[in-house]
Amino acid sequence: MKTILTISHNFIPFFILLNVLIFSCTSEKSRTIDSRSQLVLGSKANDLERLAAEELNHYLKSFAGLKLPIIDEAQFLNEDVSLVYIGTPQNHEEIRKLINAGVITVKETELGDYGYRIKTLQHQDKDLTIITAHTSKGVLNGVYAFLEEVIGSYTGLKSVDISYSLDVSTEMIKVPELDLVKKPYAELIGFEWEGMALDNTTLIDSAKRARAFSYWGDLITWGRRHKMNTITNWPYLKGKSSMNNFPDIVLLDQYKNISPYTDEEIKKGIVKRKEFLRYASENGMEPYLMIYVPGWVNKAIQKSYPQFVGELEGGEWIRRQGARPFAWSNPDVHQFMADLCREVVKTYPEITGLHLRVWGAESLPDAQSVENKTALIRVIIKKMVEAASEINPDLNIILSGYRNFEDHDFSYVESLPANIIIQRKWHTDWDVIPDAKVPDSWQTKEAFARRMISVSIPQEEAIPFWFPSARLFQKGLEGYISRETSPFYGFPINPRNWVVGKTENDLNFIAISKLSWDPFEFNYETYYKDFYTNLYGRQYADDMFDYTLVSMDIAEDFLADFAGIIEGMGIGNWERMHNFMGVGLKLFLDERKDEKKNQYTISKLDSLMSRQRSANQILEDLKPHLMENEYFSNTYFLSKALLSVFESRKTMVEIAMSDTSQLSEIKGLRDQLKQQNDELIKSIMSLTDLSCEERGQTVDEKKLSLRASFERELRSVEEYLDGLQN
């Protein structure tokens, strides 16, 4: 028998495993699932348990062309076939009988809300595989875990993923002997998703909604298949309301004209938004609705309730959006925010919780409230939490950006009447360093509140590129966790782009899920090598791992201070990578008077270039064998693009340091800069996936937009250099 191992995103099957790997699948204790087998649901099975059975069938068909009958336990069972019991003890009488007979145990304390129990056994002449849990979501997770065990037994890989596909030559699957009890280390596993297509503009347009729902559906499917359980939106929406879009998603009788949308548009949006939220819940992904608190005052509120509007001090970025800050000290504003929360919870019973975020310019106080902002935000949040809890006492409420509450002894969070989850960012602002900078107070064993550390993939500053970050997060967590205690409730991902199957972002997303489930067994070296073995073949896996080690070093080093290229652009800065490609360097050119800093930048870029060339050489050697693979192709061109970034920025430094009287020297450097930027654009245009912020664009549209951006920046730099020489 021959097994071909591929990845599920239309990749070419590079890796062929021959009979030597089948030994692990043919031991005396192994069982088989074949065309005579049956998937048995409980007579009280709910929709999630039925989905679990359908998903098992989906993968069995993918692996071996099997499509098994899904039957009710009350139906006649053929004694000569192998059976797979799927369900909770509450809904599955046959599983309950096995528990009562002492054959299997299913303890809530061992499994929690998301864990699973998998056991293979012979019982009363029946060949059984039991996939059960305390909850239906746990059962669904158990099905995916079972399938991963099967993949591992066939391939011999230690770190496998459900996205690996087995193409088995016979219509039969060998099942290894299993007796597993597993629950995740972190309870909340999932996405903080920007935009998330929940705005009225998208939802009330049928074509836009269809595209958004397809994207949404793919995201939900991927999340549930990787044993995730949560999704929360970010309320960015360019053009109408932003940062606080609750006025756009409910109708309040006591407040009129608080949204740029009409009442009819809001009603239509509510209907479709509820469909999106239900779809998430039906797939075991618990949805939250998020706003910045108090966010910004949109133009409609500015006109209808001018007393809600505060004076803006600075904040030109906010002013350009047509927004203003709320008057934080106005009690009517506090009540307005509470009324919004109450109505959102009432309107959307589909949600698991609210995500109330206090952060940065998006939560900028008005000029009169700056000195008292901490006390005021506490008042506002408390009224919002109280209002939401009146409607649904079981609602979860995430308070993110919690460092802004200055609640060092956690007395404030303890005063709130709700199921509170508090959250902070990795380090200061999702920084690219293997240290989350978690304060000692957050590591206490006392359960003052559920605590989360959010991570960012790709890290905000890296847009429009990506980088592998599994090692960064594994190393960053090691100093804070132990098997005895679980101080963190979750490590939610804040991604800027989500397209799996094309870049190292696959590795990053999957790694966070695996770290959330078991950070102690996860090993980034094994993880990367097994992924590459699956994707490219064993003969290329080690070289790709070597490349990954180098590229991780480069990304972490470069992004820590942007190689000293831009003054003040160190850790915690919100700028994007493409912002300093051209226009952002004007400030750099103006202020390069410090010879010591110039030399540091040159030295840092030389080091980065040297390492990047080494990484690129590894890929050049692999290119003849792997270039037809889209995943490899994107990695290859990204690496070339990064080298062009480093080379062109070094040329910029050299131009800034040049004697302006040496026209021929400067002309040579400018010609060199243009060539390097052309190479950068050429590499970017060869990519088939980009970590861009734009929504609703095709890959080609994103590439054209990005190329135009680089070309504008280059022209701007050229014009600026002309001015310097003149």
Side-chain angles (χ1 to χ4, degrees):
M1 181 176 73
K2 180 174 72 173
T3 301
I4 299 177
L5 180 63
T6 70
I7 199 162
S8 60
H9 307 294
N10 299 319
F11 287 133
I12 298 172
F14 286 96
F15 181 34
I16 300 178
L17 295 172
L18 300 178
N19 293 330
V20 66
L21 291 180
I22 304 305
F23 176 80
S24 61
C25 304
T26 56
S27 66
E28 294 180 2
K29 293 185 178 181
S30 66
R31 289 167 170 75
T32 62
I33 294 178
D34 57 30
S35 58
R36 299 174 303 151
S37 301
Q38 298 173 337
L39 309 183
V40 184
L41 288 171
S43 56
K44 298 179 181 179
N46 59 27
D47 290 342
L48 265 185
E49 290 167 14
R50 295 188 183 282
L51 175 62
E54 292 167 0
E55 283 289 87
L56 183 54
N57 242 347
H58 167 82
Y59 281 98
L60 291 176
K61 183 177 181 181
S62 173
F63 292 172
L66 293 171
K67 185 173 177 58
L68 304 182
I70 300 174
I71 66 172
D72 187 285
E73 60 184 335
Q75 295 176 247
F76 173 76
L77 304 179
N78 187 330
E79 299 291 338
D80 296 329
V81 302
S82 63
L83 306 174
V84 182
Y85 287 173
I86 302 172
T88 61
Q90 305 93 299
N91 296 340
H92 203 299
E93 185 178 353
E94 291 299 316
I95 292 177
R96 197 160 60 247
K97 287 178 181 178
L98 293 173
I99 294 172
N100 294 336
V103 175
I104 189 173
T105 59
V106 181
K107 298 179 180 179
E108 180 181 353
T109 54
E110 291 183 325
L111 303 178
D113 291 334
Y114 305 110
Y116 50 83
R117 179 82 158 90
I118 305 174
K119 188 174 178 64
T120 54
L121 68 152
Q122 290 287 131
H123 182 68
Q124 297 180 349
D125 298 325
K126 292 190 180 88
D127 189 359
L128 300 178
T129 298
I130 314 298
I131 304 176
T132 186
H134 172 62
T135 65
S136 300
K137 173 62 175 176
V139 172
L140 184 60
N141 287 337
V143 163
Y144 298 129
F146 168 75
L147 291 163
E148 288 175 348
E149 291 291 330
V150 170
I151 293 171
S153 71
Y154 269 89
T155 64
L157 302 178
K158 295 179 181 180
S159 180
V160 301
D161 183 69
I162 192 67
S163 62
Y164 300 1
S165 294
L166 288 175
D167 183 7
V168 181
S169 63
T170 61
E171 293 186 354
M172 175 181 69
I173 292 293
K174 295 285 185 178
V175 179
E177 187 80 1
L178 297 172
D179 190 0
L180 302 177
V181 177
K182 192 82 172 178
K183 73 173 180 179
Y185 177 84
E187 288 286 302
L188 188 149
I189 312 171
F191 294 112
E192 300 172 333
W193 200 255
E194 183 182 335
M196 217 164 67
L198 295 181
D199 60 278
N200 293 330
T201 300
T202 299
L203 294 178
I204 63 181
D205 182 291
S206 58
K208 290 180 179 178
R209 185 174 66 248
R211 289 194 298 269
F213 202 97
S214 175
Y215 186 86
W216 172 265
D218 289 344
L219 174 63
I220 295 298
T221 298
W222 194 94
R224 77 153 193 260
R225 286 177 173 173
H226 287 84
K227 302 190 286 294
M228 294 180 172
N229 53 44
T230 304
I231 185 164
T232 173
N233 72 307
W234 287 59
Y236 293 112
L237 174 62
K238 297 176 181 178
K240 288 205 173 182
S241 294
S242 58
M243 310 313 167
N244 180 342
N245 65 346
F246 275 12
D248 301 335
I249 69 174
V250 293
L251 291 170
L252 287 166
D253 292 336
Q254 65 270 45
Y255 301 98
K256 300 298 182 184
N257 301 318
I258 59 173
S259 171
Y261 294 99
T262 66
D263 286 0
E264 192 60 33
E265 288 173 327
I266 292 173
K267 288 177 184 178
K268 290 179 180 179
I270 288 171
V271 172
K272 297 304 178 182
R273 188 175 295 106
K274 288 165 75 73
E275 290 180 12
F276 273 48
L277 296 171
R278 278 195 298 270
Y279 184 81
S281 297
E282 289 165 358
N283 282 271
M285 294 286 285
E286 299 170 356
Y288 288 67
L289 287 173
M290 183 266 211
I291 61 164
Y292 280 95
V293 181
W296 300 344
V297 187
N298 65 37
K299 291 181 179 179
I301 297 175
Q302 290 176 41
K303 183 177 181 179
S304 302
Y305 296 89
Q307 68 272 28
F308 287 3
V309 184
E311 292 298 320
L312 180 63
E313 186 176 282
E316 288 305 313
W317 176 59
I318 301 172
R319 199 185 303 276
R320 287 198 300 271
Q321 314 304 314
R324 298 280 295 279
F326 278 96
W328 282 31
S329 60
N330 185 344
D332 291 340
V333 169
H334 308 168
Q335 189 60 50
F336 175 64
M337 298 300 294
D339 291 339
L340 278 175
C341 266
R342 183 183 293 107
E343 194 63 32
V344 167
V345 177
K346 188 185 299 183
T347 303
Y348 299 99
E350 296 85 359
I351 63 175
T352 299
L354 295 178
H355 180 177
L356 309 180
R357 181 161 181 76
V358 180
W359 189 264
E362 295 88 343
S363 294
L364 186 73
D366 61 301
Q368 289 74 27
S369 303
V370 172
E371 297 299 322
N372 202 26
K373 63 179 181 179
T374 300
L376 288 170
I377 202 65
R378 289 186 178 200
V379 171
I380 295 169
I381 288 285
K382 190 163 189 175
K383 287 188 71 71
M384 295 172 73
V385 170
E386 288 172 344
S389 297
E390 287 174 12
I391 304 301
N392 182 0
D394 296 325
L395 196 74
N396 286 339
I397 295 181
I398 298 173
L399 300 182
S400 64
Y402 199 71
R403 68 185 61 164
N404 294 291
F405 288 80
E406 297 184 10
D407 185 27
H408 305 300
D409 63 357
F410 305 105
S411 57
Y412 174 72
V413 69
E414 288 177 340
S415 74
L416 298 177
N419 301 319
I420 301 294
I421 305 166
I422 62 175
Q423 181 191 82
R424 58 181 289 118
K425 288 182 178 182
W426 185 278
H427 199 275
T428 301
D429 196 11
W430 295 313
D431 303 316
V432 188
I433 56 174
D435 185 355
K437 287 292 181 184
V438 180
D440 292 341
S441 57
W442 275 60
Q443 302 171 58
T444 177
K445 296 179 182 179
E446 298 173 9
F448 58 84
R450 292 173 289 180
R451 289 145 282 177
M452 299 194 301
I453 308 295
S454 68
V455 300
S456 183
I457 300 175
Q459 203 267 353
E460 251 190 318
E461 281 81 348
I463 293 170
F465 303 132
W466 61 85
F467 57 91
S469 54
R471 179 186 66 181
L472 183 154
F473 292 120
Q474 182 187 352
K475 295 295 185 184
L477 291 174
E478 286 177 350
Y480 301 109
I481 61 177
S482 72
R483 294 183 185 272
E484 291 73 35
T485 60
S486 180
F488 301 126
Y489 186 68
F491 312 110
I493 306 168
N494 169 48
R496 289 284 177 171
N497 189 43
W498 182 83
V499 180
V500 295
K502 295 185 177 184
T503 73
E504 275 92 344
N505 275 340
D506 272 32
L507 286 162
N508 297 333
F509 288 132
I510 296 168
I512 289 298
S513 176
K514 289 184 177 295
L515 280 164
S516 298
W517 272 86
D518 193 343
F520 308 106
E521 293 301 318
F522 181 85
N523 179 285
Y524 73 89
E525 293 187 9
T526 301
Y527 171 64
Y528 282 127
K529 287 180 180 178
D530 285 358
F531 188 92
Y532 293 140
T533 297
N534 169 76
L535 181 57
Y536 299 123
R538 194 175 299 279
Q539 65 271 42
Y540 306 121
D542 287 344
D543 287 339
M544 282 304 302
F545 176 67
D546 290 342
Y547 160 79
T548 298
L549 288 179
V550 178
S551 64
M552 284 190 295
D553 281 335
I554 293 169
E556 293 172 22
D557 190 7
F558 173 59
L559 293 169
D561 65 354
F562 287 87
I565 293 174
I566 296 183
E567 297 297 330
M569 194 158 180
I571 289 172
N573 197 286
W574 61 268
E575 295 284 352
R576 307 290 185 263
M577 187 182 284
H578 65 71
N579 287 349
F580 74 82
M581 296 298 182
V583 175
L585 286 173
K586 289 183 180 180
L587 177 62
F588 161 75
L589 289 167
D590 272 338
E591 298 187 354
R592 296 315 273 191
K593 310 300 182 184
D594 189 325
E595 184 67 19
K596 186 175 181 180
K597 290 182 179 179
N598 289 339
Q599 291 302 328
Y600 168 82
T601 300
I602 292 288
S603 174
K604 190 72 174 285
L605 287 170
D606 280 337
S607 173
L608 290 167
M609 285 188 292
S610 175
R611 286 178 281 164
Q612 191 66 55
R613 290 185 182 112
S614 296
N616 289 9
Q617 188 57 54
I618 295 173
L619 299 183
E620 288 291 344
D621 293 342
L622 293 172
K623 182 180 176 183
H625 311 287
L626 303 181
M627 198 59 180
E628 294 303 313
N629 184 289
E630 183 179 20
Y631 193 111
F632 178 85
S633 174
N634 277 324
T635 300
Y636 174 83
F637 285 115
L638 173 69
S639 294
K640 288 176 69 69
L642 286 174
L643 181 58
S644 296
V645 168
F646 302 149
E647 290 175 337
S648 58
R649 297 322 97 177
K650 182 183 177 183
T651 302
M652 290 294 302
V653 179
E654 291 172 339
I655 291 173
M657 294 171 63
S658 296
D659 183 347
T660 55
S661 65
Q662 301 299 315
L663 298 182
S664 61
E665 177 184 342
I666 292 178
K667 182 181 184 305
L669 288 171
R670 290 180 61 173
D671 290 342
Q672 179 175 294
L673 176 64
K674 185 178 186 311
Q675 181 180 358
Q676 290 163 342
N677 277 281
D678 286 345
E679 286 297 315
L680 170 62
I681 293 170
K682 181 179 178 182
S683 296
I684 288 172
M685 293 302 290
S686 299
L687 297 168
T688 61
D689 183 40
L690 292 162
S691 295
C692 288
E693 293 183 279
E694 290 80 3
R695 297 289 181 262
Q697 288 188 340
T698 67
V699 172
D700 285 341
E701 287 171 337
K702 287 181 180 180
K703 288 195 293 186
L704 290 172
S705 174
L706 194 59
R707 180 173 68 178
S709 173
F710 283 134
E711 288 173 342
R712 283 195 303 272
E713 290 169 351
L714 181 59
R715 282 198 300 272
S716 176
V717 170
E718 290 290 314
E719 292 169 2
Y720 185 76
L721 291 173
D722 287 340
L724 284 182
Q725 286 184 242
N726 295 331

